[in-house]
């Protein structure tokens, strides 16, 4: 049940607004206690006596203000080389799966896509992406085990360019944002990609797990510092995690959510639609 | 040095000394700050409320009034209660034969990695662990476990790559184990969301068959408000015996652990502290309590004061 339906259900019972209950509803979505309090205060400050109906309308407005419709499309293919999408994030959020899903999505829109298996670290990470690549019929470039991920991306770029591919999607190893050396490795991948085409990478996407609480904002901050994020993919919205962290990230860092993951199959993936997200998923 | 929370509380109590009594206002303000700290650490909304109300009276007693640093004193009381709750009845693994450990949890929590970590730990204790790959779903999950097993030189059962029936795999694995001279079996399972009824049922069936005495819920320390749901649902379905908190090498505050501990009453047994197989420890409740309240060594400071 989405945020607004839960608010409707809760406040249907009585005409008087229970602010604590509203705060609790917001907090259970993982938007963070500070933002929840801010929203509640905003609503209270409306000055007039708000009743349950107003709360829903106002709440919708206040949340949507913090989550602008971010349907900004991915860059269109050009003739001077593939558009490069670098996919990053902490361990286990769904990067590899999302690379496969995004590749499939772009392919279904008629584009040609190459995947780069630049997680040379985790056990069987390459095999995992390779299985997806075979399943979805997407070409994939990999390096030797423990190869430098930058060089895998570099080679993959050359290969994608030679093929005339529209997009190159680079999967990277999961890393915790407080590990300086691993974050530096990511900056290096970014720089290396810029060597052949100084506009590349064209997108750097952080994959965030909808199950994550307050730490997601910290994750986004650090990844943003290392790689200049252009967007988010929020995964596992098929679970009971509400992914409110993307509202918090948008609110604090102004990084928009681009796609959502709603399952373990390639089809469980869609562009992000803010109002649908808040109505139905959050 | 002083952490943010105790600084804020010192502010609340600025003119306390010599008053002989805490005002309603003091108490309310202080509890608001503690509540905020817990919620910011991702403790579940109602778990935080209950925890505060159960500790509140003690935290507001004589000791605080008389203290030179009442804010720190309060933080210390909450912190000690928190550690007590997180560490309560910490139990060793139940490994009487047939010793079986079933690893369960959400997608990407760290089950496969933790299976190998646990195997290495048991091996170092002189046991003979066996690993069993029961994730038939995630691409290359079997290869992942196989690679890790090879790294630590532990025998691993790997099903046919197109096998889809997890009970069949478990049966084959038990048969295989008879030839392996192992003393404890660790079963890695596929990640699943707790509201996915079909997949939860699969897990129920597997546990019905295996009757594992240890069912470990593997949970990411960055988990948010979903934690209560997850712990409850997995516990109802397969009766968890403990929790493993992973990725504690990150900087998440780890409040989900309090939520999970509170709603299931099951102990947190181990911590994952890195990606390497050796990055695995017995769970240390004090350290997590400090972390949840965002403090360095406040306790040491208070005790010296
Ligand atoms: N239910 C659900 N599971 C997902 C979703 N996206 C990914 N997963 C699962 O989450 C787990 C981790 O996904 P991966 O793609 O391996 O994550 P990763 O970020 O590449 O992990 P590392 O490379 O180890 O850091 C797998 O079990 C995936 O099937 C989603 O939208 N919903
Ligand atoms: N930094 C760190 N990473 C960890 C820890 N435990 C697991 N990981 C990483 O988290 C990611 C997911 O771990 P897995 O063991 O594949 O998780 P899983 O629960 O088996 O995932 P699924 O089978 O897809 O549900 C991998 O990148 C692991 O290396 C830990 O304690 N610290
Ligand atoms: Mg991956
Ligand atoms: Mg696994």
């Amino acid at each position: 049940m989405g945020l607004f339906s839960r608010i409707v259900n809760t406040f249907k019972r009585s005409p008087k607004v229970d602010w604590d209950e509203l705060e609790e509803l917001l907090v259970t979505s993982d938007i963070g206690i500070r933002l929840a309090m801010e929203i509640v205060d905003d609503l209270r400050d409306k000055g007039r006596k708000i009743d349950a109906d107003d709360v829903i309308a106002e709440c919708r407005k206040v949340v949507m203000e913090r989550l602008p419709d971010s349907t900004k499309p991915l860059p269109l293919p050009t003739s001077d080389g593939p558009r490069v999408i670098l996919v990053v994030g902490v361990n286990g959020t769904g990067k590899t799966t999302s690379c496969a899903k995004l590749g499939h999505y772009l392919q279904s829109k008629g584009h040609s896509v190459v995947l780069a298996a630049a997680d040379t670290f985790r056990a069987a990470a390459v095999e995992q992406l390779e299985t997806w690549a075979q399943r979805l019929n997407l070409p994939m470039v990999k390096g030797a085990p423990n190869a430098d991920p930058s060089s895998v991306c570099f080679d993959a770029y050359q290969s994608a360019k030679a093929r005339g591919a529209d997009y190159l999607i680079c999967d990277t190893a999961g890393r915790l944002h407080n590990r300086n050396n691993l974050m530096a490795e990511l900056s290096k991948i970014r720089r290396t990609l810029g060597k052949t085409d100084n506009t590349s990478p064209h997108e750097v996407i952080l994959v965030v797990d909808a199950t994550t609480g307050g730490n997601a904002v910290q994750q986004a901050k650090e990844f943003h510092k290392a790689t200049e994020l252009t967007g988010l993919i929020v995964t596992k919205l098929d679970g009971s995690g509400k992914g409110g962290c993307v509202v918090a990230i948008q609110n604090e860092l102004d990084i928009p959510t681009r796609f959502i993951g709603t399952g373990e199959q390639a089809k469980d993936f869609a562009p992000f639609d803010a109002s649908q997200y808040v109505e139905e998923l959050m | 040095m002083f952490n943010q929370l105790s600084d804020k509380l010192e502010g609340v109590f600025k003119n306390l000394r010599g008053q002989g009594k805490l005002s309603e206002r003091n108490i309310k303000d202080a509890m608001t700050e503690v509540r905020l700290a817990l919620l910011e650490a991702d403790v579940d909304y109602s778990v935080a409320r209950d925890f505060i109300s159960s500790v509140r009276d003690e935290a507001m007693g004589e000791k605080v009034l008389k203290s030179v640093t009442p804010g720190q004193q309060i933080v210390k009381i909450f912190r000690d209660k928190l550690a007590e709750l997180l560490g309560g009845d910490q139990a060793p693994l139940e490994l009487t034969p047939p010793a079986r450990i079933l690893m369960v949890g959400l997608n990407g929590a760290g089950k496969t990695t933790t299976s190998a970590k646990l195997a290495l730990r048991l091996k170092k204790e002189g046991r003979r662990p066996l690993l069993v790959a029961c994730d038939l779903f995630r691409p290359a999950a079997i290869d992942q476990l196989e690679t890790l097993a090879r790294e630590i030189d532990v025998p691993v059962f790997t099903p046919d790559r197109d096998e889809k029936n997890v009970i069949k795999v478990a049966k084959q694995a038990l048969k295989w184990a008879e030839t392996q001279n192992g003393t404890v079996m660790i079963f890695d399972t596929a990640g699943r969301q707790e509201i996915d009824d079909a997949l939860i049922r699969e897990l129920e069936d597997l546990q019905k068959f295996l009757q594992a005495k240890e069912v470990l819920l593997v949970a990411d320390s960055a988990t948010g408000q979903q934690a209560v749901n997850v712990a409850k649902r997995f516990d109802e379905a397969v009766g968890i015996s403990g929790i493993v908190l992973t990725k504690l090498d990150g900087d998440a505050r780890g409040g989900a652990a309090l939520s999970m501990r509170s709603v299931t009453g099951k102990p947190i047994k181990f911590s994952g502290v890195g990606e390497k197989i050796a990055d695995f420890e017995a769970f240390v409740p004090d350290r997590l309590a400090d972390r949840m309240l965002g403090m360095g060594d406040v306790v040491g400071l208070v005790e010296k004061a």
Side-chain angles (χ1 to χ4, degrees):
Chain A
M1 211 195 310
L3 178 63
F4 295 141
S5 350
R6 285 184 295 144
I7 294 178
V8 171
N9 277 354
T10 309
F11 291 96
K12 211 160 47 184
R13 285 187 262 111
S14 114
K16 256 193 61 209
V17 178
D18 180 336
W19 297 109
D20 287 344
E21 211 162 339
L22 181 61
E23 184 186 83
E24 176 166 2
L25 275 175
L26 290 166
V27 167
T28 51
S29 307
D30 284 318
I31 62 170
I33 177 66
R34 304 269 165 198
L35 185 52
M37 286 166 66
E38 215 179 290
I39 292 176
V40 170
D41 288 346
D42 271 13
L43 290 174
R44 284 178 123 153
D45 284 353
K46 294 292 165 190
R48 60 201 161 100
K49 271 178 68 188
I50 280 190
D51 68 12
D53 282 340
D54 299 335
V55 160
I56 295 152
E58 284 295 337
C59 202
R60 184 177 273 120
K61 207 175 124 223
V62 174
V63 174
M64 292 306 288
E65 269 164 20
R66 287 175 169 79
L67 197 68
D69 238 324
S70 44
T71 40
K72 184 183 163 208
L74 292 174
L76 286 172
T78 69
S79 54
D80 37 272
R83 303 295 90 187
V84 179
I85 304 170
L86 183 63
V87 177
V88 302
V90 299
N91 305 87
T93 51
K95 292 173 294 300
T96 305
T97 311
S98 298
C99 286
K101 287 174 170 178
L102 178 59
H104 182 63
Y105 169 85
L106 290 171
Q107 200 175 38
S108 75
K109 300 270 175 230
H111 301 300
S112 55
V113 179
V114 172
L115 297 176
D119 179 354
T120 55
F121 179 75
R122 210 208 63 208
V126 174
E127 287 84 344
Q128 185 187 359
L129 192 65
E130 202 160 34
T131 308
W132 276 114
Q134 280 161 7
R135 205 183 271 179
L136 300 173
N137 225 339
L138 293 164
M140 187 192 94
V141 177
K142 62 179 172 186
N146 295 318
D148 177 7
S150 295
S151 75
V152 176
C153 289
F154 187 84
D155 293 349
Y157 181 88
Q158 302 300 340
S159 160
K161 192 173 163 97
R163 283 167 178 268
D166 297 327
Y167 293 97
L168 170 67
I169 303 174
C170 303
D171 183 26
T172 62
R175 67 200 73 222
L176 292 177
H177 51 283
N178 57 344
R179 291 286 303 278
N180 293 336
N181 56 337
L182 296 181
M183 297 309 279
E185 180 187 85
L186 219 51
S187 308
K188 181 177 165 199
I189 295 178
R190 198 193 152 83
R191 282 196 307 275
T192 307
L193 281 167
K195 277 180 191 153
T196 35
D197 166 359
N198 63 13
T199 61
S200 152
H202 306 88
E203 293 281 335
V204 182
I205 296 203
L206 178 73
V207 178
V208 184
D209 185 331
T211 310
T212 320
N215 195 239
V217 176
Q218 198 57 31
Q219 293 172 12
K221 265 186 200 151
E222 295 300 326
F223 276 95
H224 196 39
K225 257 190 234 159
T227 58
E228 279 176 61
L229 301 173
T230 59
L232 308 175
I233 294 178
V234 56
T235 60
K236 310 184 197 175
L237 276 169
D238 49 320
S240 67
K242 303 295 181 191
C245 57
V246 302
V247 182
I249 293 172
Q250 171 89 56
N251 189 51
E252 271 204 42
L253 300 167
D254 209 20
I255 301 167
T257 306
R258 310 296 275 282
F259 295 95
I260 60 172
T262 54
E264 297 190 69
Q265 313 281 355
K267 62 172 175 38
D268 302 325
F269 188 75
F272 177 70
D273 171 334
S275 53
Q276 191 211 1
Y277 164 70
V278 187
E279 295 290 339
E280 294 169 22
L281 297 167
M282 183 174 176
Chain B
M1 292 316 275
F2 303 160
N3 70 89
Q4 270 194 335
L5 176 59
S6 64
D7 281 353
K8 279 191 195 131
L9 290 179
E10 294 307 347
V12 170
F13 294 125
K14 234 178 357 229
N15 300 315
L16 190 66
R17 267 162 64 74
Q19 283 180 16
K21 197 166 171 283
L22 289 162
S23 69
E24 278 293 317
R25 177 76 205 230
N26 282 156
I27 299 177
K28 195 164 166 278
D29 289 352
M31 290 308 106
T32 302
E33 291 301 333
V34 175
R35 190 182 83 103
L36 276 179
L38 292 175
L39 289 175
E40 285 196 314
D42 291 325
V43 175
D44 174 79
Y45 199 88
S46 36
V47 170
R49 187 175 46 210
D50 295 349
F51 176 68
I52 290 172
S53 67
S54 77
V55 184
R56 181 193 139 123
D57 289 343
E58 181 176 346
M60 287 304 178
E62 275 293 284
K63 242 171 141 183
V64 170
L65 260 183
K66 291 200 177 128
S67 170
V68 204
T69 50
Q72 288 183 44
Q73 191 67 45
I74 288 190
V75 176
K76 178 174 152 44
I77 292 169
F78 271 100
R79 180 262 186 206
D80 289 349
K81 287 286 170 193
L82 202 51
E84 196 181 306
L85 191 67
L86 288 169
D89 50 61
Q90 212 188 3
L93 291 174
E94 156 64 296
L95 295 175
T96 51
R100 290 173 192 160
I101 306 174
L102 183 63
M103 311 297 285
V104 304
L106 296 182
N107 304 86
K111 294 170 294 301
T112 307
T113 311
T114 305
S115 300
K117 287 177 171 181
L118 192 54
L120 179 62
R121 185 181 172 96
L122 293 171
K123 189 175 158 176
K124 282 184 178 155
E125 288 173 4
R127 298 175 208 274
R128 294 189 300 278
L130 304 174
L131 285 162
V132 180
C134 288
D135 180 353
L136 311 177
F137 193 72
R138 166 172 165 172
I142 300 172
D143 303 296
Q144 186 187 358
L145 190 68
E146 198 174 24
T147 309
L148 296 172
R150 204 179 314 125
E151 221 173 290
I152 54 173
D153 197 21
V154 164
V156 55
F157 180 79
T158 54
D160 279 346
R161 296 304 197 263
D162 46 15
E163 180 58 65
K164 289 284 163 267
N165 183 331
V166 78
I167 305 284
K168 221 158 121 192
V169 172
K171 275 186 190 152
Q172 291 166 354
L174 293 188
K175 198 121 198 260
W176 164 83
E178 288 168 17
T179 67
Q180 295 297 316
N181 188 32
T183 55
V184 45
M185 296 178 80
I186 301 171
F187 296 83
D188 179 30
T189 63
R192 63 203 78 215
Q193 296 297 315
E194 86 285 1
I195 53 174
D196 187 328
D197 292 331
L199 290 181
I200 291 293
R201 215 168 306 122
E202 182 199 71
L203 208 55
E204 276 173 25
D205 291 342
L206 181 61
Q207 168 61 349
K208 251 183 223 138
F209 172 74
L210 285 175
Q211 304 276 316
K213 280 171 287 211
E214 286 290 345
V215 180
L216 298 179
L217 174 65
V218 179
D220 190 318
S221 51
T223 311
Q225 297 283 324
Q226 189 185 0
V228 161
N229 251 342
V230 172
K232 261 197 201 152
R233 189 70 193 99
F234 275 97
D235 195 30
E236 281 161 9
V238 289
I240 66 172
S241 60
I243 297 161
V244 180
L245 211 53
T246 62
K247 309 180 199 176
L248 273 168
D249 47 321
D251 58 8
R253 303 271 293 278
L258 179 66
S259 311
M260 293 186 159
R261 179 73 179 85
S262 304
V263 296
T264 62
K266 301 296 161 54
I268 303 161
K269 298 198 172 187
F270 299 102
S271 327
V273 292
E275 291 191 71
K276 302 220 180 63
I277 307 184
D279 298 332
F280 193 59
E281 302 172 347
F283 174 68
V284 187
D286 292 24
R287 219 184 289 159
L288 188 69
D290 287 352
R291 193 178 165 120
M292 276 172 54
L293 294 173
M295 51 204 231
D297 193 16
V298 173
V299 177
L301 269 168
V302 175
E303 268 154 9
K304 265 181 245 150

